Amino acid sequence: MVKSTAHRQLEALKWRMPLASEQLYYLDNLQRGYEGEREFKKFVDSYIGESAVTMTDFTFSVDGTVRQIDAFIIFNDAVIIFEVKNYQGDYLFKNGEFYNTKYRDKIKSPIDQLDYTAILLKRLFKRIDIHIPIKSYVVFIGEDFHLYEAPRDLNIVMRSQLPKFLNELRLTYRHADENTMKFVDTLNEFKHLEERRLHIDYSYDSLKKSLFCSDDGGELTLNNRTYYKCPKCNKKTSIEDVVLQAILDFYTLFPEKKLTISNLYNFTGGKISKYHYRKLLKKNFKRLGNGRSVHYSVDKILE
């Protein structure tokens, strides 16, 4: 699964410049959401497998309204869409609304949000002449999540219910076949590819140039020419992973700049050798130009 552009932006900036408290809060929410969706995908892979086609982070637009679906499970005779919430703690369902009991705050109903998404998706299906029923469920993936006073007829699935729920889906619907794959190809033609970038005031010169531990921001050092180590938490990271993360961070923050060995070397304060950049760029990216004009293009995000 690939993180959103906004998520990657904030991660790349977190240790390179001071972020406002609301930006750090948003990053924390994005990270929890991403981890929840990854966890849900593991359940689906285990209990659905190749019985259906699974799609994640599908964004589409209808009549100018852009909606994002956390996950699809596509069978031959049904499409199941999911909103995955990685909430923790105690919540209350009362009069059709969700409340966080700790802060006594009412939160946006994920059921209402998903219902509206399903309406728009049905509208899209009708326009492209697809006649497959759509069902929708909210999945609460958090291990420490509890929802009180929720009626049984709500389209919600708790983490502990997922194995049984997914098995029942697999046994209820016809498994994916060639027609399903054709449907998926058609659906992908309507995927909304443009991602929203955050408007944050930064420049190349204003950012700190170094390598940082993703966990605590410690400046990484090369050990025995085999791995990088964080001096704060002692976490070890392979050279390849560090190099690829540096490339991803540079590309995310400065998509308008050419991806060159010189630009990357300076971006990380000379802490990664040009040899390692050259080796990994040649292996993972497309080379363009010749001589001093050599640079590389990113066809897909590596994570």
Side-chain angles (χ1 to χ4, degrees):
M1 290 179 61
V2 177
K3 295 175 182 177
S4 68
T5 299
H7 193 172
R8 298 197 309 273
Q9 270 185 283
L10 289 171
E11 280 193 332
L13 290 171
K14 183 177 181 180
W15 307 115
R16 292 182 168 93
M17 64 172 282
L19 291 179
S21 56
E22 60 265 25
Q23 293 168 336
L24 292 172
Y25 178 76
Y26 183 42
L27 173 58
D28 182 63
N29 283 342
L30 290 172
Q31 184 61 30
R32 282 193 289 109
Y34 175 75
E35 290 171 356
E37 290 172 30
R38 284 188 66 182
E39 194 70 11
F40 177 66
K41 182 68 162 52
K42 290 178 184 177
F43 275 99
V44 173
D45 289 344
S46 295
Y47 293 97
I48 297 293
E50 296 182 358
S51 302
V53 177
T54 304
M55 298 172 65
T56 56
D57 290 326
F58 183 86
T59 303
F60 68 102
S61 61
V62 176
D63 297 334
T65 301
V66 178
R67 302 296 287 185
Q68 184 258 343
I69 297 173
D70 289 338
F72 275 103
I73 297 179
I74 304 172
F75 291 95
N76 182 272
D77 54 345
V79 171
I80 322 294
I81 66 173
F82 297 90
E83 177 81 9
V84 181
K85 294 298 183 184
N86 194 14
Y87 295 160
Q88 304 292 332
D90 296 335
Y91 286 75
L92 173 69
F93 185 83
K94 184 177 180 181
N95 298 326
E97 302 287 354
F98 288 82
Y99 295 86
N100 183 316
T101 60
K102 181 178 180 180
Y103 301 104
R104 299 188 179 183
D105 290 336
K106 183 171 75 171
I107 64 171
K108 287 184 179 180
S109 168
I111 295 176
D112 291 346
Q113 290 176 297
L114 188 57
D115 285 346
Y116 181 56
T117 300
I119 289 171
L120 292 178
L121 187 63
K122 289 175 183 176
R123 191 179 300 171
L124 174 63
F125 279 16
K126 184 176 181 180
R127 289 182 182 177
I128 59 179
D129 202 29
I130 291 176
H131 306 285
I132 299 179
I134 299 171
K135 294 183 179 294
S136 58
Y137 295 90
V138 176
V139 174
F140 291 105
I141 198 73
E143 292 185 272
D144 190 36
F145 173 81
H146 304 280
L147 181 63
Y148 297 98
E149 299 185 22
R152 292 187 176 183
D153 59 350
L154 284 182
N155 281 5
I156 63 174
V157 185
M158 301 298 179
R159 181 189 181 96
S160 61
Q161 299 172 315
L162 276 173
K164 181 181 178 181
F165 172 80
L166 294 172
N167 264 327
E168 288 179 350
L169 289 184
R170 182 173 55 82
L171 296 172
T172 300
Y173 298 105
R174 295 203 308 271
H175 291 186
D177 57 17
E178 290 183 4
N179 289 328
T180 313
M181 298 310 300
K182 291 178 182 178
F183 162 69
V184 171
D185 290 341
T186 300
L187 196 58
N188 274 322
E189 292 176 9
F190 293 88
K191 187 171 183 178
H192 191 80
L193 298 177
E194 184 179 350
E195 286 204 68
R196 182 175 66 91
R197 292 184 61 84
L198 297 178
H199 297 291
I200 301 175
D201 187 18
Y202 66 87
S203 67
Y204 180 84
D205 292 335
S206 70
L207 300 184
K208 190 173 182 180
K209 310 298 190 298
S210 189
L211 295 173
F212 304 96
C213 175
S214 59
D215 293 341
D216 56 27
E219 292 197 43
L220 303 182
T221 56
L222 184 61
N223 279 254
N224 301 322
R225 297 184 180 182
T226 56
Y227 62 88
Y228 282 88
K229 185 177 180 179
C230 174
K232 290 185 177 181
C233 66
N234 294 319
K235 177 182 176 181
K236 297 177 181 179
T237 309
S238 71
I239 291 176
E240 181 169 343
D241 286 347
V242 170
V243 174
L244 288 175
Q245 187 61 55
I247 294 171
L248 176 62
D249 287 351
F250 179 85
Y251 173 75
T252 298
L253 295 177
F254 305 104
E256 75 285 355
K257 290 184 179 292
K258 286 186 176 181
L259 202 59
T260 67
I261 293 171
S262 179
N263 281 343
L264 291 166
Y265 181 79
N266 294 329
F267 177 66
T268 49
K271 288 196 170 185
I272 295 176
S273 71
K274 292 183 178 181
Y275 163 78
H276 283 120
Y277 274 128
R278 187 175 292 108
K279 179 181 176 182
L280 269 296
L281 285 167
K282 183 178 179 181
K283 178 181 176 181
N284 294 284
F285 302 94
K286 183 179 179 180
R287 175 175 162 154
L288 302 171
N290 294 294
R292 292 185 177 182
S293 67
V294 168
H295 59 285
Y296 297 82
S297 68
V298 179
D299 294 328
K300 64 178 181 178
I301 300 299
L302 299 174
E303 296 233 12

